[in-house]
Amino acid sequence: MSMFSTGILVLTSPLHTLPLRIAPVLSSAAQLVERTLYVHLHPGLNLGSGSQPRPVFIPPVVDLSTLITRLYSNAADICGHLDIRVLLTNVRAQTTACSGTGVPNCPFPTPQSLFHSPEVVLTDFPLQDPAQSHQVTECLQRYTSHCYVCSPGLPSVLLHSQLKLLEKEEGLKKLEEKAKPLETFSDVVVGGTFDRLHGAHKTLLNISCLLANRRFLIGVCDQAMLKKKVLKELIEPYSLRVQRLREFLQDIKPSLQVEIVSLDDPFGVSVVDPLLQCIVVSEETRKGGEAVNKKRIENGLPALVLHEIQLLKDAHHTETEEEKISSSSLRSRLLGTLLTPPKDKSHLPPLPYVIGLTGGSGSGKSSIARRLEALGAVRIDCDKLGHEVYQTGTAAYHRVLKEFGSDILNEDKTINRRALGRKVFGNQERLKALTNIVWPEIALLVKRIISQAREEGKQVCVVDAAVLLEAGWTDMVHEVWVTIIPEEEAVSRITERDGVTTEDALRRLQSQWSNAKQVEHANVVLSTLWEKEVTQKQVLKAWNLLQKRIQQRQEGQ
């Protein structure tokens, strides 16, 4: 069967049976839907009665909260590529007649628009009689179109026949216990980074929406709160994180009043807003919630109810990643992958394919260049070429003497680079005069080596250059790769390697482009923050993906 971009899954099984059935249901759905899967809950919905069922409000109960957690957890294991969204429009504690419809207990006076229009509707409804198939699919289609704005002629698929687990096989109790109601609140608050919205975020947001009746306040970490985050340079921009939050929340519970505020300290407005009643936390953020309550009491405000949710386990985590589903793990998995497509470099010969590798002092850039060399790349060491252009008798040698004077020479007439450095240190104008002489000469040597590699039939060249971006050498390369590590780690490495003070190391780093600025220009980002074996795997991943890109490029020409 052909794949659909977006689908909606209508779950009709009783709540007490769903937790064990959700995995095979999602597995079947993932074979049909490839991007976004909306989940609509209507336990006990009968699509085979002969009469057209109507959507009704279902009460927020503890089992529903448990199911949401289980659903997102299973989704992360089974179909991590899918954007799962559990819809809560039809979940409400009190049921009243809908204005204008005359229909009691109706959560959809008009069909709800979703950000991604469903192209197929799926259900776990058990078909008792195969002869009813057409009647049930038509009924499902009408039901779904009554709730949501869908693509015309929405196809319907019954997943029950594809499921291996049946209720009898599951050994589930037939007797349902009376559902325990979930305590809800007028105003609920949460805080977080919400980088690359994943299953754990969605669990937090969905359960918060389940608890909130009127307003949902979200503090989103910005700037000061991001400083200690792992691979902070890869965190999505604040505006993009907010946009994705709004889109998700508008889909799952459009009736809520959503307020999103910037979080520049651990507390934000949670310690001053008198209307808040509940804060949603996890096991690891519970202490933060308790700290919020301490501040609120100091401010003369009532403490918030702390509603704790489960952390979702990450079945795919590596030794260097957290056991829970986390944004930092997702960011680490981006290392070595193509973050942004290369710009058009049709002015460059297709081969050798040239990588421009750069990074701040102490970032491990040269060690990565050597690893790439071991994999078959021609390494072009621009630091070494920089020494060559200063050699006696070269064009750069004579121009440097003319610009800076003969007092920078050693007794053997070679340039004393320390003496030259003292003349340009702290003087941007003099430094620019020097780089205007030296950088073009280095670029000429780089081009010469690339041409030689082309004559020898080499496939890949790596231009190892600390000043790649500052010098404007990106026109010489097909892709820019940037190596990053945290500033404190770079300072530690520089002081140990070069025997300089912490202050000198910091000054050196501050004279260079920041990690964040370099990452803005990067096609691929790498990091040597972890053990050598981790770096090796990262570089190998980057190399293998590069080979695929080169092959696709050649096939496309």
Side-chain angles (χ1 to χ4, degrees), residues 26 55 85 91 115 140 145 219 229 252 287 296 379 429 469-470 487 502 535 539 546:
L26 286 175
R85 304 185 182 194
V91 178
F115 271 87
L140 175 64
S145 298
K229 297 288 184 184
I252 66 170
K287 286 186 178 178
R296 283 180 69 87
R379 180 191 175 201
E429 189 178 330
L469 299 173
E470 295 94 321
E487 185 180 85
T502 298
T535 303
V539 174
L546 173 66

Side-chain angles (χ1 to χ4, degrees), residues 290-423:
E290 291 168 352
V292 164
N293 274 342
K294 187 178 177 184
K295 282 276 188 183
R296 283 180 69 87
I297 292 167
E298 288 173 7
N299 292 339
L301 295 174
L304 303 175
V305 173
L306 265 62
H307 183 96
E308 186 176 319
I309 64 167
Q310 286 180 278
L311 291 171
L312 298 195
K313 297 289 185 183
D314 186 350
H316 309 290
H317 78 278
T318 64
E319 290 180 7
T320 59
E321 294 172 350
E322 296 181 86
E323 290 186 11
K324 62 165 188 169
I325 293 175
S326 72
S327 298
S328 59
S329 294
L330 296 183
R331 289 195 295 275
S332 71
R333 290 170 200 173
L334 293 174
L335 296 172
T337 67
L338 191 67
L339 298 180
T340 55
K343 293 179 181 176
D344 177 31
K345 295 295 176 73
S346 51
H347 66 282
L348 295 177
L351 292 175
Y353 198 82
V354 185
I355 300 301
L357 178 65
T358 191
S361 185
S363 66
K365 166 184 60 66
S366 294
S367 67
I368 285 178
R370 288 191 289 271
R371 291 176 189 274
L372 290 168
E373 184 178 27
L375 289 168
V378 174
R379 180 191 175 201
I380 303 173
D381 185 346
C382 289
D383 190 46
K384 184 179 176 184
L385 296 181
H387 285 83
E388 286 185 27
V389 300
Y390 283 108
Q391 286 181 356
T392 308
T394 62
Y397 175 88
H398 292 298
R399 288 183 64 195
V400 168
L401 285 187
K402 185 177 178 182
E403 181 71 36
F404 295 96
S406 58
D407 59 331
I408 61 169
L409 291 178
N410 295 311
E411 289 183 7
D412 61 359
K413 301 300 182 185
T414 58
I415 290 175
N416 183 324
R417 293 183 67 180
R418 282 183 178 272
L420 178 60
R422 285 193 292 270
K423 288 205 171 193

